[in-house]
Amino acid sequence: MNALLPRSCRPGALRATPARPPRRQAGLELAFVLLPGFDLLALMAGLEPLRLADRLGPRGQVHTRLLSLDRAAVMSAQGVAMPVEGNLTDHPDADLTLVVGGEGICPQLPQTLTGALRRLWRQGRRVGAVHGGIFALAQAGILGGHRFAAHRDHLPVLAAQWPDLAPVATLYCMDRRVVTCAGGIAMADLSLRLIHDSVGQAAAHEAMHACLVTAPRGEDTPQTASVAPRTQTRNPSMHRAVQWIEQHFAEPDCLKQAVHEAGTSARQLQRLFRVHLGVRPTQYLTEVRLNQGRALLAQTEMSVQDVALACGYTATGTFAKLFRERFGIAPSRYSPFQSKSGA
């Protein structure tokens, strides 16, 4: 594990922090601000290309720092305590500051974090987020008017709490001074892009080959497989209907519009769904809505009534009945650890 960490973050580094070198005229300096429960996979996937670019290219071209909210080591979602070099206010001049979170959502992050992010933003610096760190940028008010990537599991929460924002379900996104990544292995793709843009194509290729990456994925790559592998059909009408339902599930006329988008009859669409998915379009829509509702109940403080409305149900009783049938528990009592196995 130690070999994967930046040199300055290996055990013992905090006992004697060396004087900081003069700021480089070229290269890349990144600060990773770790939140409790952060995604260790994403952090390691992002650090390794950066480490290799620094080792294989001119030394000092790439520098990384791990920071926390209180200068203490941070526990990852995987149970690994990560040592850090300080907090965000100790190192405010990185080329890019990324807040790294995980699956969980902090309902209210410390003002020290959101305030520091706003100061960096006002100073014209680049800021960003990885996985659950996106909520720090949302609470800081930085994401308005920007295109940004968010993990697909966080999309319903963002839509419910910040309806004016427009996240995209891609691997990563770079929109002016906002840099965001959905997490996981996608962080390696973002790091390779940052190396390419800041250090050069040669350094990016060296790091890419050393990581055994045959080709980095672009920022518009979707997080999920296309409809064809999931439905095991290449029928274009089926693809268009599924995509419409998944993107517009809360709309009252969702199924009617899905038929229109599919370019076929309602009867033919019913047949396609039965053949390829084993369910009717209404059942597929219900499953999408209930999964969104489950995510909102697990990750927000929204009331059951508000969750029902966000999922397209005007009658809370209908939502509660369907939710109980699907997950074996009333939505008012739902916990991620209490649902039926396989739910």
Side-chain angles (χ1 to χ4, degrees):
M1 175 65 73
N2 291 342
L4 297 175
L5 300 176
R7 291 186 298 276
S8 57
C9 289
R10 294 173 187 169
L14 297 181
R15 289 195 292 269
T17 303
R20 191 169 187 190
R23 185 162 178 81
R24 304 178 315 281
Q25 296 301 310
L28 177 64
E29 182 171 340
L30 278 82
F32 293 88
V33 183
L34 308 182
L35 299 180
F38 70 91
D39 181 2
L40 183 63
L41 173 60
L43 180 65
M44 293 295 102
L47 286 175
E48 186 61 3
L50 298 167
R51 183 188 71 84
L52 290 168
D54 186 50
R55 181 173 70 82
L56 299 173
R59 301 293 290 211
Q61 285 288 292
V62 179
H63 192 77
T64 58
R65 293 183 180 275
L66 303 187
L67 310 174
S68 69
L69 301 181
D70 56 4
R71 301 185 179 92
V74 187
M75 189 69 72
S76 72
Q78 294 79 8
V80 177
M82 188 66 63
V84 298
E85 296 182 69
N87 67 12
L88 185 52
T89 58
D90 295 330
H91 305 282
D93 55 351
D95 299 314
L96 170 61
T97 299
L98 289 169
V99 182
V100 186
E103 297 175 358
I105 299 169
C106 297
Q108 192 62 46
L109 290 163
Q111 177 61 36
T112 52
L113 173 61
T114 55
L117 290 172
R118 281 192 289 267
R119 284 192 294 275
L120 291 174
W121 181 253
R122 287 194 295 267
Q123 292 167 4
R125 299 193 178 279
R126 287 196 298 173
V127 297
V130 181
H131 207 163
I134 197 68
F135 295 100
L137 266 62
Q139 291 182 26
I142 292 173
L143 296 175
H146 287 83
R147 184 174 182 268
F148 64 95
H151 193 283
R152 62 179 182 270
D153 290 346
H154 291 154
L155 293 176
V157 181
L158 288 164
Q161 296 191 347
W162 291 277
D164 295 334
L165 300 182
V168 293
T170 59
L171 297 185
Y172 68 91
C173 186
M174 302 175 69
D175 186 2
R176 291 163 288 173
R177 290 190 290 119
V178 173
V179 179
T180 50
C181 178
I185 298 298
M187 191 58 208
D189 300 286
L190 174 57
S191 286
L192 289 170
R193 169 68 181 276
L194 293 170
I195 294 166
H196 176 276
D197 292 352
S198 299
V199 183
Q201 180 173 318
H205 274 270
E206 289 283 353
M208 181 182 72
H209 293 316
C211 288
L212 304 183
V213 175
T214 56
R217 297 171 294 178
E219 64 178 298
D220 291 326
T221 304
Q223 295 173 25
T224 57
S226 65
V227 175
R230 289 190 284 128
T231 59
Q232 298 185 1
T233 177
R234 296 191 176 278
N235 185 288
S237 295
M238 185 73 177
H239 293 182
R240 290 193 294 268
V242 168
Q243 288 176 337
W244 180 268
I245 291 172
E246 292 178 347
Q247 295 172 7
H248 303 272
F249 61 88
E251 298 180 9
D253 61 346
C254 177
L255 290 180
K256 181 180 179 180
Q257 288 299 319
V259 173
H260 176 75
E261 290 294 318
T264 186
S265 67
R267 184 173 181 177
Q268 174 65 4
L269 193 62
Q270 291 265 7
R271 188 190 72 81
L272 288 171
F273 268 74
R274 283 199 307 270
V275 169
H276 298 294
L277 295 179
V279 297
R280 298 188 302 274
T282 52
Q283 292 173 308
Y284 190 80
L285 172 61
T286 298
E287 184 72 7
V288 171
R289 285 177 167 179
L290 292 179
N291 283 330
Q292 295 292 326
R294 180 175 61 169
L296 291 174
L297 290 169
Q299 302 178 27
T300 73
E301 301 298 322
M302 294 173 63
S303 68
V304 174
Q305 181 179 12
D306 288 341
V307 170
L309 289 172
C311 295
Y313 293 101
T314 55
T316 305
T318 301
F319 169 72
K321 177 177 181 292
L322 293 170
F323 191 95
R324 188 183 300 107
E325 291 174 353
R326 175 65 179 87
F327 300 116
I329 190 170
S332 58
R333 297 177 51 240
Y334 174 74
S335 162
F337 304 103
Q338 293 175 305
S339 58
K340 288 192 237 179
S341 68

